[in-house]
Amino acid sequence: MNSNPSTASTIKLNEASLSRLPGNVPIPKYDRRQITNGIVHIGVGGFHKSHQALYLDDYFHQHPGSDWGICGVGLLDYDYDRRMRNALLSQDCLYTLVERSPKSDRARIIGSITRYLFAPWGGNNQPETQRW
């Protein structure tokens, strides 16, 4: 594969750092604060993030202010859901999707997940960072 980004300098992914990403990395151009959660997805994983969340990210670019944002939910207090919680909350629910083909790899930032709840924390124990 080619077109690999340089790892000489890393940028912590979050809402504040989007403007510092290289210009060839597509980022959400819509106002994520204007998106209302209309979808609850239990068990956020790679398939969901590379399909439904990707399609909604495309949709939001065409229809800003939608009410179809995603609230991800982790139900189980086990390693995978804890890691997903830590990753999404530390990145303002943004993540990088890499599309691979024989010709090149393309990275883009997905912003359609706007909230993540970790059920083992309970309803009133969610940290303030759950919805940036």
Side-chain angles (χ1 to χ4, degrees), residues 32-109:
R32 296 177 69 225
R33 294 172 298 232
Q34 297 299 313
I35 294 175
T36 304
N37 290 120
I39 298 171
V40 173
H41 188 87
I42 297 171
V44 175
F47 186 83
H48 167 72
K49 293 190 309 178
S50 63
H51 290 86
Q52 183 180 23
L54 166 67
Y55 300 146
L56 284 169
D57 190 74
D58 288 340
Y59 179 82
F60 296 155
H61 280 99
Q62 298 170 15
H63 306 280
S66 174
D67 58 355
W68 288 103
I70 301 168
C71 173
V73 177
L75 292 180
L76 304 174
D77 192 11
Y78 73 105
D79 193 45
Y80 182 82
D81 279 353
R82 282 191 302 268
R83 286 186 319 205
M84 185 61 65
R85 169 202 66 200
N86 294 344
L88 287 176
L89 294 182
S90 72
Q91 298 175 172
D92 298 331
C93 293
L94 295 164
Y95 64 93
T96 305
L97 178 70
V98 177
E99 297 173 304
R100 304 191 92 173
S101 76
K103 295 180 182 179
S104 68
D105 294 344
R106 294 181 311 152
R108 79 183 252 193
I109 307 302

Side-chain angles (χ1 to χ4, degrees), residues 13 17-30 57 61 94 107-111:
L13 179 60
S17 68
L18 288 176
S19 64
R20 297 190 348 242
L21 294 174
N24 64 337
V25 177
I27 62 172
K29 298 292 186 188
Y30 49 88
D57 190 74
H61 280 99
L94 295 164
R108 79 183 252 193
I109 307 302
I110 305 296

Side-chain angles (χ1 to χ4, degrees), residues 109-127:
I109 307 302
I110 305 296
S112 54
I113 299 174
T114 60
R115 187 172 190 187
Y116 187 84
L117 300 174
F118 187 59
W121 280 351
N124 294 325
N125 282 331
Q126 298 293 325

